[in-house]
Amino acid sequence: MGSFAATTSPAGGGFTSCIRVRRRDAGAARRGGERGGATVCLLAAGMVFVVVGLFGAAVGAARMARQQARVAADFGALAGAGRALAGGPEACAYADEVVRANGARLTGCRLDGLDAVVTAEVTVAPVPGLTRVAIVTSRAGPPRG
């Protein structure tokens, strides 16, 4: 803020008292009083970078979850197809074990002849309060033809 000083000056043959304000920042008057405008713009640009970064992280986390679910379902289907001759319950139990070892949850398993059809899901929370689920189904069995 400014400081106040009382001065006397000869005006019209007599002395009159007046109060004047001295500014410590004389440049503020030349700038039109817009102090701190650049700071607000810089903060806004920073927030844009934060929001874009969070969006990019969320998209990346969702893509990684889908890839993890795909790998788990593929390996689970291969494991189930390898045990298809032992029967459905044993094949699906082994597929469940392999899917869990790959960080996913088995949501569906069935045998279609000698083919194993396995569905796996991975839940991801890329941003607090936002949860997404990646679900992938894979089929594996002996070669045809």
Side-chain angles (χ1 to χ4, degrees), residues 66 69-75 77 106-110 116-121 134-140:
R66 182 151 196 258
R70 180 179 295 142
V71 167
D74 287 345
F75 284 158
L106 184 72
T107 58
C109 178
R110 65 181 173 86
V117 180
V118 173
T119 303
E121 77 174 23
I135 302 172
V136 178
T137 300
S138 290
R139 179 184 199 101

Side-chain angles (χ1 to χ4, degrees), residues 21-105:
V21 177
R22 280 191 246 162
R23 293 190 176 208
R24 290 185 184 167
D25 187 10
R30 287 190 298 263
R31 290 190 305 259
E34 293 187 29
R35 296 175 59 187
T39 303
V40 173
C41 289
L42 185 62
L43 286 174
M47 286 302 295
V48 167
F49 281 122
V50 167
V51 168
V52 169
L54 284 174
F55 179 74
V59 169
R63 292 185 75 178
M64 289 299 296
R66 182 151 196 258
Q67 183 65 28
Q68 184 179 2
R70 180 179 295 142
V71 167
D74 287 345
F75 284 158
L78 287 169
R83 300 272 172 105
L85 292 177
E90 185 177 330
C92 286
Y94 191 59
D96 183 38
E97 184 180 324
V98 171
V99 167
R100 288 186 190 280
N102 282 286
R105 187 171 74 88

